[in-house]
Amino acid sequence: MLKKVLTIAIALLMCFLFTGCDIIDGTKDMVAPPELTGEMSLIADALYKSVGSDCDLKYPSSGDRRSAIVLEDLNGDSIFEAFAFYSTSDDEMTTMHVNVICQLGGKWTSVSDQTVVAIGVEMLDFCDLNNDGLEEILIGWEVNGNNEKQLSIYDFSENKLKQQLLQAYTSFMCCDLDNNGTNEIFVHLLNTTEKTNKAMIYNYVDGTMSQTAGCLMDSSIKSAEFPILSTLSNGQNAIYINETKGVGAITEVLYFSKGELINPLLDTVNSFENILTLRAASLKTQDINSDGILEIPVASDLPNATDSDEKLYYTNWCSFNGEKLSVKLVTVVNTVDGYYLTVPNSMVGYLAVLKDIENHERKFYHYDSQNNILGKLLFTIKAIDVDDWASTDYNHDNKVEIARNDNMVFVVELGEGANAFAINIEFIKETFYLVK
C-alpha cells in the first residue's frame, strides 16, 4: 500500500512541476509551473539532457495511470524507474517516444528511448508475466485514434527496453484467467469493417511472448466495453464483455475449460452470434442482488397493455455457471426515466404494461396469460418534474411519492385491482429502485 501511495504522490508532483516540456498539450502560453527543486529537478534535468526541452509530453487517455511521466518500481527493490511519453517538433505526425530514466551511481540518467509509430498513448500497465520478479511494461498505443491501436509489451533489463510483442487490440488486460499462478495478457480485438471479433491469450513460452489460446466472439458486434475480470457462479475465473449490436446488446463470457479458452454462449454452428443474452443496449452486467456474483441481463417478453406493436420486456438477471443461465432476479426496467421494479416470482407472467413515454407513465395491469385477457389496473408509476410536484397547482390526489432524484419525483397511484392482489404503497416502495 505504501508503495502505491508513494507512486501516485510522486507522479502527481511530476505532472504539475515539470517545466522543460509542455505539461499539458496545447498550453504553451499558460503560466509556467513552479521550478523543480531537489530530487525532482534532477529527474527533469536527465530527461531534458536526453530529449531536449522542445518536447510535448503525451498523456494516456484511459486506464489508472494518466500521467505523461510515470514512476514504477519494476523489480521491487524500492528504487523507482521513470517512464516518459513524448513527441518533438522534429518527429513525423505519427511518431512518439517512450523514455526510461533510472538512477545510476546515485544520479538520474536517461538510459533508453524507443520510437514508435503512434499518435498517442491510450493505456499503460505493468505486470510480471513470467514470475521472475520483474514487471513487464504494457503500453497501448493509439495509431489512428480508437480505430486502430497497438499493444507493445516490453521487458526492461540491462537498462534497455526490449519489445516482446506488438499486437493490434481493442482492449487488453493483465490477469491470471486460468488460475495457474502466472499472469497472462488477455487481448480483445474487434474489427467492425471485416466483421471479425476474437479474444486471444498471450504468455511467455520458452522466453518468447506467444499466443497460447483464443476463441471467436459474436461477429455482428458494433462496439465493446472494457472487459471485466470476475468469476462464474461456481467461482471459476471468467471475463465478461458487454457489447453493442446493431439493435440491442449482449454479454459474452469467456473462461478456460480443459486448457482451452471458450465462449459457450456463442452459436458456433449457424449464426456465430450470441442471442442468449440479448436485451436493451442500455442494460449492462452487474451484481444486481449484491451476492458477489455478476448477473447478466436477459430479455423475455412482457405483454403490452395496448394494441401497439412495440415489444416490451422483462429483464431477467441471470448468473452463469459456464453451462446454464439461472435467473436470480426479474425486473421491469424504465430506461427513459431511470428506475426499475423487482417482480416477485408469483407475479412473473401475470403482468401487462402500458408504456406512456410522453407523460412519463407506466401503468401495470393484471394479465391472464393463459386466456390472453387484460385484467384490472394494479398501479401507475409516474415521473414528475420536481418543480411541478412542488407547485400548489399540481393535482396530488391519490398520488404518493416513493422516491426522488435531483430532477424528478416518482409517485404511485393505486388502481382498482390493487387490493385483490395485495398490492399497496409499501410493497411498491420495497420493489422500486432508481438506476444508479
Side-chain angles (χ1 to χ4, degrees), residues 49 85-86 118 134 161 184 187 200 215 248 253 259 282 290 329 338 344 355 369 377 392 396 413 424:
K49 183 177 180 180
F85 301 102
Y86 71 94
L134 181 66
L161 280 177
E184 55 263 356
V187 175
M200 295 164 282
C215 66
V253 185
S282 59
S290 301
L329 186 69
K355 178 181 176 181
S369 57
L377 176 65
T392 56
H396 293 74
E413 184 174 356
N424 54 36

Side-chain angles (χ1 to χ4, degrees), residues 131 174-186 201-203 212-213 229-232 234-239 254-261:
N131 286 341
C174 175
C175 60
D176 183 10
L177 187 59
D178 57 6
N179 200 33
N180 68 350
T182 301
N183 291 317
E184 55 263 356
I185 300 301
F186 174 85
I201 297 290
Y202 286 90
N203 292 93
T212 56
L229 177 63
S230 187
T231 63
L232 304 174
N234 62 12
Q236 182 176 345
N237 291 348
I239 285 178
L254 314 179
Y255 62 94
F256 272 96
S257 176
K258 299 179 181 179
E260 298 290 334
L261 184 67

Side-chain angles (χ1 to χ4, degrees), residues 375-389:
K376 294 181 179 181
L377 176 65
L378 301 176
F379 58 91
T380 301
I381 296 180
K382 186 176 179 66
I384 303 168
D385 183 89
V386 170
D387 293 334
D388 290 343
W389 179 250

Side-chain angles (χ1 to χ4, degrees), residues 314-381:
Y314 289 104
T315 299
N316 305 301
W317 297 88
C318 302
S319 65
F320 185 53
N321 65 1
E323 297 179 357
K324 180 183 177 182
L325 290 164
S326 301
V327 178
K328 297 300 180 180
L329 186 69
V330 180
T331 62
V332 176
V333 183
N334 181 339
T335 58
V336 176
D337 297 318
Y339 66 83
Y340 65 91
L341 288 177
T342 60
V343 182
N345 291 335
S346 60
M347 294 180 65
V348 175
Y350 296 96
L351 288 178
V353 174
L354 188 155
K355 178 181 176 181
D356 185 346
I357 293 179
E358 183 177 353
N359 293 307
H360 297 276
E361 279 188 353
R362 296 289 189 273
K363 292 183 179 293
F364 293 79
Y365 292 84
H366 180 259
Y367 180 70
D368 182 348
S369 57
Q370 187 172 6
N371 298 299
N372 195 25
I373 297 175
L374 184 67
K376 294 181 179 181
L377 176 65
L378 301 176
F379 58 91
T380 301
I381 296 180

Side-chain angles (χ1 to χ4, degrees), residues 22 78 111 172 193 240 308 312 325 343-344 347 385 395 411 414:
D22 297 316
S78 299
V111 298
F172 69 88
T193 301
Y240 294 71
S308 169
L312 303 181
L325 290 164
V343 182
M347 294 180 65
D385 183 89
N395 181 8
V411 303
L414 296 178

